[in-house]
Amino acid sequence: MDCKEFRESLDFYADGELAPEAEAAARLHLNECAACRRAEAELLRLRRALKRTVAQHQPPPELVRRVEALIGAHRPHRLWQRRISLPAPVFALLLVATLLVGLGVASLRRAPPGKQSASVQPEQKPPAPAPAPQGNLDLARFDHGERATIYKVRRTQAGDAQ
Amino acid sequence: MWLSRRRRARQFEETALPHLADVYRFARQLADEEQAQDLVQDTYLRAWKYFDSFQAGTNCRAWLFRILHNVWTDRFRQSRLELSLNEQSETAIEPYYDWEDEFMREELSAELEQALAQLPEAYRWAVLLADVEELSYQEIAQVMDCPIGTVMSRINRGRRTLARLLRATEQSEPQAEHKRSS
């Protein structure tokens, strides 16, 4: 390889793009030619200066955060962090179904106790009313599991009054 | 499905995010700080969107620069027209006959940045991808979407133009000094 050939292929040599035989020939020429060595050194110096110049700029931290957030926003969340999205008709149906169930439960609760028990146990006779307490309530009876009896007695009395 | 999406996100964070600084520095040589930030943001958004098309094991940095090139050409379509006009004058390799005299000073960063800014954008891309990012000619051809022959001539012309601009700066500085002192 002579000086002319070397200067024409200096880019490829410096960039490692020469075929192995051509690269060997170029290296051989460099060993013999001081002027071409200087030309190559100048090209490498330009490359170093370019790297230094470009390296001066650092990405601002807010850009890094912004890009990370961008990816985070598009990344799937963990199962318990995921949003559930439903098509509008499905959502409306679910809402109506929930309302109907809620109304049904509420109407069952409002139904009179007699009617409710009749629908469940039609042949069951109402329990015999407990003897009405005489005079003031005997609070000592609360300790013997008779609270329910007192309640029923009071309800029955209220029903009789109506 | 959900697991594979989680894996994709982690892979992206491990493969693409570490190159953010390189992409930003490169973008800074193409645009001012604000525009460079926008370019980087759009590049990463697009990279995330099309991450499935990235082949694991290949050069992720080159892939990101290709996206940056696409984002940049989409954004600055006028520059694209300018490139196609310059393309016509790109023909042969110009030999380095006058490179044995030293024109590069180690402390030339400011002048070099100025010279880079004056370089036609196609040359700037090619020189930076070769000298700073150290991509192969094949990779540069893929990034810039042009034949390898065009890459070679752009690198060659870019370096020579840079050298001329730097020499001009060097020569004008002593003259300016001389004028100031006289």
Side-chain angles (χ1 to χ4, degrees):
Chain A
M1 186 179 278
D2 58 15
C3 284
K4 181 178 178 292
E5 284 171 333
F6 181 80
R7 300 297 172 103
E8 281 171 354
S9 56
L10 180 52
D11 282 315
F12 314 123
Y13 176 73
D15 294 333
E17 296 278 347
L18 277 183
E21 314 85 62
E23 193 180 326
R27 207 170 291 137
L28 205 67
H29 176 74
L30 272 181
N31 286 337
E32 296 163 354
C33 179
C36 286
R37 273 202 302 276
R38 282 200 299 277
E40 189 220 3
E42 207 58 17
L43 189 60
L44 297 179
R45 203 183 292 184
L46 175 66
R47 176 177 290 174
R48 280 198 303 274
L50 274 170
K51 279 186 178 165
R52 258 200 327 274
T53 303
V54 172
Q56 288 172 354
H57 301 284
Q58 292 295 329
E62 69 263 20
L63 173 67
V64 180
R65 276 197 296 274
R66 221 162 52 223
V67 169
E68 282 172 351
L70 210 72
I71 306 308
H74 289 76
R75 188 174 54 190
H77 292 288
R78 288 177 187 281
L79 196 59
W80 54 89
Q81 294 174 322
R82 295 175 87 182
R83 282 179 162 187
I84 299 169
S85 58
L86 288 172
V90 177
F91 180 74
L93 269 175
L94 276 176
L95 194 68
V96 169
T98 312
L99 277 172
L100 284 176
V101 169
L103 282 172
V105 169
S107 65
L108 276 177
R109 285 191 154 199
R110 272 191 210 141
K115 195 178 174 186
Q116 194 180 347
S117 62
S119 66
V120 178
Q121 296 170 320
E123 291 172 11
Q124 195 179 12
K125 289 180 181 175
Q134 300 297 316
N136 291 334
L137 278 174
D138 182 8
L139 292 178
R141 292 171 67 195
F142 274 76
D143 295 332
H144 304 291
E146 292 180 20
R147 192 186 309 195
T149 309
I150 292 165
Y151 172 76
K152 281 177 186 164
V153 167
R154 293 183 73 191
R155 287 281 297 225
T156 312
Q157 284 172 337
D160 291 341
Q162 285 172 358
Chain B
M1 173 70 180
W2 174 73
L3 266 180
S4 69
R5 285 188 71 191
R6 288 282 310 161
R7 203 175 301 130
R8 180 182 185 266
R10 200 173 52 241
Q11 249 174 9
F12 187 83
E13 281 172 359
E14 287 168 0
T15 320
L17 278 188
H19 302 299
L20 192 142
D22 291 334
V23 177
Y24 173 76
R25 286 188 201 110
F26 197 98
R28 221 26 212 92
Q29 298 305 318
L30 307 169
D32 62 26
E33 191 174 342
E34 199 180 327
Q35 285 177 329
Q37 288 192 33
D38 287 349
L39 282 172
V40 173
Q41 196 170 312
D42 287 358
T43 299
Y44 269 88
L45 193 58
R46 214 178 275 193
W48 168 247
K49 196 174 168 188
Y50 298 108
F51 190 52
D52 293 331
S53 70
F54 170 68
Q55 292 175 333
T58 58
N59 189 344
C60 184
R61 220 152 42 94
W63 182 70
L64 286 168
F65 282 121
R66 184 173 188 174
I67 298 173
L68 176 69
H69 189 262
N70 291 343
V71 169
W72 176 77
T73 41
D74 285 351
R75 195 169 275 220
F76 304 104
R77 287 197 182 273
Q78 220 177 339
S79 312
R80 209 181 194 177
L81 289 175
E82 188 193 318
L83 290 187
S84 58
L85 289 175
N86 284 337
E87 210 84 69
Q88 294 168 0
S89 62
E90 286 180 17
T91 47
I93 301 292
E94 206 179 327
Y96 290 82
Y97 283 132
D98 49 352
W99 277 54
E100 56 269 32
D101 52 317
E102 291 185 6
F103 61 89
M104 278 294 305
R105 282 190 281 117
E106 294 288 342
E107 70 279 8
L108 262 178
S109 273
E111 290 88 338
L112 190 53
E113 196 154 33
Q114 228 173 354
L116 257 178
Q118 292 177 54
L119 210 59
E121 280 157 343
Y123 296 170
R124 205 185 315 165
W125 268 90
V127 169
L128 288 173
L129 287 173
D131 284 338
V132 180
E133 304 307 329
E134 296 185 350
L135 299 190
S136 69
Y137 287 2
Q138 178 71 46
E139 286 169 332
I140 297 173
Q142 283 169 354
V143 168
M144 298 186 73
D145 196 21
C146 64
I148 285 194
T150 310
V151 169
M152 289 172 179
S153 63
R154 282 178 181 178
I155 290 173
N156 173 259
R157 281 162 179 265
R159 283 171 179 160
R160 294 197 62 86
T161 312
L162 260 185
R164 280 192 200 109
L165 289 165
L166 288 170
R167 277 204 189 95
T169 315
E170 289 258 291
Q171 283 162 5
S172 66
E173 270 181 5
Q175 282 173 5
E177 282 291 318
H178 181 71
K179 274 183 188 172
R180 272 199 293 273
S181 59
S182 62

Coordinates of all heavy atoms in Angstrom, one line a residue, chain A residues 3 14 28 32 36 57 68 71 75-77 80 83 85 92 120 129-130 132 135-138 145 149 153:
Chain A
C3 N 1.2 5.8 -0.1 CA 0.5 6.9 0.6 C -0.9 7.2 0.0 O -1.8 7.4 0.8 CB 1.4 8.1 0.5 SG 2.8 8.0 1.6
A14 N -9.4 3.6 10.1 CA -9.7 4.2 11.5 C -11.0 3.6 12.1 O -11.1 3.5 13.3 CB -9.7 5.7 11.4
L28 N 1.2 -2.0 7.8 CA 2.6 -2.1 7.3 C 3.0 -0.8 6.8 O 4.1 -0.3 7.0 CB 2.6 -3.2 6.2 CG 3.9 -3.9 6.0 CD1 4.3 -4.7 7.2 CD2 3.8 -4.7 4.7
E32 N 6.0 2.4 8.1 CA 7.1 2.9 7.2 C 6.9 4.4 7.0 O 7.9 5.1 6.6 CB 7.1 2.2 5.9 CG 7.4 0.7 6.0 CD 7.0 0.0 4.7 OE1 6.3 0.6 3.8 OE2 7.3 -1.2 4.7
C36 N 1.9 9.7 7.0 CA 0.6 9.0 7.2 C 0.3 8.7 8.6 O -0.9 8.7 9.0 CB 0.6 7.7 6.3 SG 0.5 8.0 4.5
H57 N -22.7 17.4 27.6 CA -24.1 17.5 27.9 C -24.6 16.3 28.7 O -24.4 15.2 28.3 CB -24.9 17.6 26.6 CG -24.5 18.8 25.8 ND1 -24.9 20.1 26.1 CD2 -23.8 18.9 24.6 CE1 -24.4 20.9 25.2 NE2 -23.7 20.2 24.3
E68 N -39.1 8.0 32.6 CA -39.4 6.8 33.4 C -40.9 6.8 33.8 O -41.5 5.7 33.8 CB -38.6 6.8 34.7 CG -37.1 6.4 34.5 CD -36.3 6.6 35.7 OE1 -36.7 7.2 36.7 OE2 -35.1 6.1 35.7
I71 N -42.9 5.6 30.8 CA -42.9 4.1 30.7 C -43.8 3.5 31.8 O -44.6 2.6 31.5 CB -41.5 3.5 30.9 CG1 -40.5 4.2 29.9 CG2 -41.5 2.0 30.7 CD1 -40.9 4.2 28.5
R75 N -47.0 1.0 31.6 CA -46.7 -0.3 32.0 C -47.8 -0.9 32.8 O -48.5 -0.2 33.5 CB -45.4 -0.2 33.0 CG -44.9 -1.5 33.3 CD -43.6 -1.3 34.1 NE -43.8 -0.5 35.3 CZ -42.9 0.0 36.0 NH1 -41.6 -0.2 35.7 NH2 -43.1 0.7 37.1
P76 N -48.1 -2.2 32.6 CA -49.2 -2.8 33.4 C -48.9 -2.8 34.8 O -47.8 -3.0 35.3 CB -49.3 -4.2 32.8 CG -47.9 -4.5 32.3 CD -47.4 -3.2 31.8
H77 N -50.0 -2.4 35.6 CA -49.8 -2.4 37.1 C -49.9 -3.9 37.6 O -50.3 -4.8 36.9 CB -50.9 -1.6 37.7 CG -50.8 -0.2 37.4 ND1 -49.8 0.7 37.9 CD2 -51.5 0.6 36.5 CE1 -50.0 1.9 37.4 NE2 -51.0 1.9 36.6
W80 N -53.2 -6.1 42.0 CA -54.0 -5.3 42.9 C -54.0 -3.8 42.7 O -54.6 -3.0 43.3 CB -53.6 -5.5 44.4 CG -52.1 -5.3 44.6 CD1 -51.5 -4.2 44.9 CD2 -51.1 -6.3 44.4 NE1 -50.1 -4.4 45.0 CE2 -49.9 -5.7 44.7 CE3 -51.1 -7.7 44.1 CZ2 -48.6 -6.3 44.7 CZ3 -49.9 -8.3 44.0 CH2 -48.7 -7.7 44.3
R83 N -56.6 -1.1 37.2 CA -58.0 -0.6 37.1 C -58.8 -1.5 36.4 O -58.4 -2.2 35.5 CB -57.9 0.7 36.3 CG -57.4 1.9 37.1 CD -57.4 3.1 36.2 NE -57.3 4.3 37.0 CZ -57.4 5.5 36.4 NH1 -57.6 5.6 35.1 NH2 -57.3 6.6 37.1
S85 N -61.8 -2.0 34.0 CA -62.6 -1.2 33.1 C -63.7 -2.1 32.4 O -63.3 -3.2 32.0 CB -61.7 -0.5 32.0 OG -61.0 -1.5 31.3
A92 N -73.8 -0.8 33.2 CA -75.2 -0.4 33.4 C -76.0 -1.6 33.9 O -76.7 -1.5 34.9 CB -75.8 0.2 32.2
V120 N -93.1 -18.6 55.2 CA -92.1 -19.5 55.5 C -92.6 -20.8 56.1 O -92.4 -21.9 55.7 CB -90.9 -18.9 56.3 CG1 -89.9 -20.0 56.6 CG2 -90.4 -17.7 55.6
P129 N -98.7 -16.4 74.0 CA -98.1 -15.2 74.6 C -97.7 -15.5 76.1 O -98.4 -16.3 76.8 CB -99.3 -14.2 74.6 CG -100.5 -15.0 74.3 CD -100.1 -16.3 73.6
A130 N -96.6 -15.0 76.4 CA -96.1 -15.2 77.7 C -97.0 -14.4 78.7 O -97.6 -13.4 78.3 CB -94.7 -14.7 77.8
A132 N -98.3 -11.7 80.9 CA -97.9 -10.3 81.0 C -97.4 -10.0 82.4 O -97.8 -10.6 83.4 CB -99.2 -9.4 80.8
G135 N -97.5 -5.4 87.1 CA -96.9 -4.2 87.7 C -95.6 -3.8 87.0 O -95.5 -4.0 85.8
N136 N -94.6 -3.3 87.7 CA -93.4 -2.9 87.1 C -92.5 -4.1 86.6 O -92.7 -5.2 87.1 CB -92.6 -2.1 88.2 CG -93.2 -0.8 88.5 OD1 -93.9 -0.2 87.6 ND2 -93.0 -0.3 89.7
L137 N -91.6 -3.8 85.7 CA -90.8 -4.8 85.2 C -89.8 -5.3 86.2 O -89.2 -4.5 87.0 CB -89.9 -4.3 84.0 CG -90.6 -4.3 82.6 CD1 -89.7 -3.6 81.6 CD2 -90.9 -5.7 82.2
D138 N -89.7 -6.6 86.3 CA -88.7 -7.2 87.3 C -87.4 -7.3 86.6 O -87.2 -8.2 85.8 CB -89.3 -8.5 87.7 CG -88.4 -9.1 88.8 OD1 -87.4 -8.4 89.2 OD2 -88.5 -10.3 89.1
G145 N -82.0 -15.0 81.0 CA -82.2 -15.3 79.6 C -83.7 -15.1 79.2 O -84.2 -15.7 78.3
T149 N -88.5 -12.9 75.9 CA -89.9 -13.1 76.3 C -90.5 -11.7 76.6 O -91.6 -11.4 76.2 CB -89.9 -14.0 77.6 OG1 -89.1 -15.1 77.3 CG2 -91.3 -14.3 77.9
V153 N -93.6 -10.0 74.7 CA -94.8 -9.6 75.4 C -95.2 -8.2 75.1 O -96.3 -7.8 74.8 CB -94.5 -9.8 76.9 CG1 -95.6 -9.1 77.8 CG2 -94.5 -11.3 77.3

